[in-house]
Amino acid sequence: SAQCLSVRAATQDVLLAGMAQLDNGAVLAFPPLSVDGQAGFDPFVLRADPAGTPASLVSFDAAGSQITRAVASGPGGRDAVAGNYGGSGFGMGSASLPATAATSAFVIVFDSAGVAEWGRSFTSGAITDINDVAFFANGDLAVVGSTNGSGANIPGEAGWPGDVFIARLAALNGAD
């Protein structure tokens, strides 16, 4: 299912993020592009040109379930996708995220070629989710989410109603 979209201002390319249940060798296809998956929900990011023709398709293809909640396009053609995941770790290359016992939030940043630059997870021991992501002009990220727990790596959540958190993450490595 499609969950969210963003438009790259400079190129007018459309980014569509969502998740697909690709059990038993099922294939997600946006002709001429396709990916296969593992059990559970696999998030994907599709980039289409202004005419709607698919240009690139990235899927995380991991065991367990990953839920996409937000996508953003930023300076220099960089993109970010965020949401939550549970169970096994997942990611791509340098954006690999650890396995978790509870539902954890994630954000992954891609360069203009669709290669994962870095990823970050937020874990609280309870359900944690990122609901939106946006780029600052300098390439830093803003993320907003919520948690039912508390944790050392959940920035700014203590004392906020409903355990809401907001964080500014550095463009180069996701540090807050």
Side-chain angles (χ1 to χ4, degrees):
S1 69
Q3 298 294 309
C4 44
L5 67 89
S6 181
V7 176
R8 286 184 176 168
T11 63
Q12 298 298 293
D13 287 351
V14 175
L15 299 174
L16 171 67
M19 56 200 172
Q21 191 163 9
L22 301 176
D23 295 338
N24 301 317
V27 174
L28 173 66
F30 293 95
L33 308 173
S34 66
V35 293
D36 59 358
Q38 296 186 23
F41 289 105
D42 291 328
F44 66 86
V45 178
L46 171 73
R47 182 177 56 82
D49 68 20
T53 303
S56 67
L57 178 62
V58 176
S59 176
F60 302 110
D61 192 20
S65 288
Q66 306 85 35
I67 308 297
T68 306
R69 299 276 191 226
V71 65
S73 55
R78 296 171 72 228
D79 303 317
V81 63
N84 70 53
Y85 73 104
S88 64
F90 82 104
M92 301 169 60
S94 60
S96 294
L97 302 174
T100 177
T103 300
S104 296
F106 75 87
V107 60
I108 296 178
V109 174
F110 300 92
D111 67 16
S112 61
V115 175
E117 291 182 347
W118 57 265
R120 172 127 182 232
S121 64
F122 297 87
T123 304
S124 68
I127 296 172
T128 304
D129 202 359
I130 291 177
N131 297 309
D132 207 359
V133 60
F135 280 92
F136 288 93
N138 72 348
D140 287 357
L141 280 180
V143 296
V144 63
S146 60
T147 182
N148 291 338
S150 61
N153 76 339
I154 308 288
E157 59 89 23
W160 286 42
D163 285 326
V164 170
F165 67 89
I166 186 168
R168 184 174 184 148
L169 307 177
L172 295 179
N173 61 8
D176 53 302

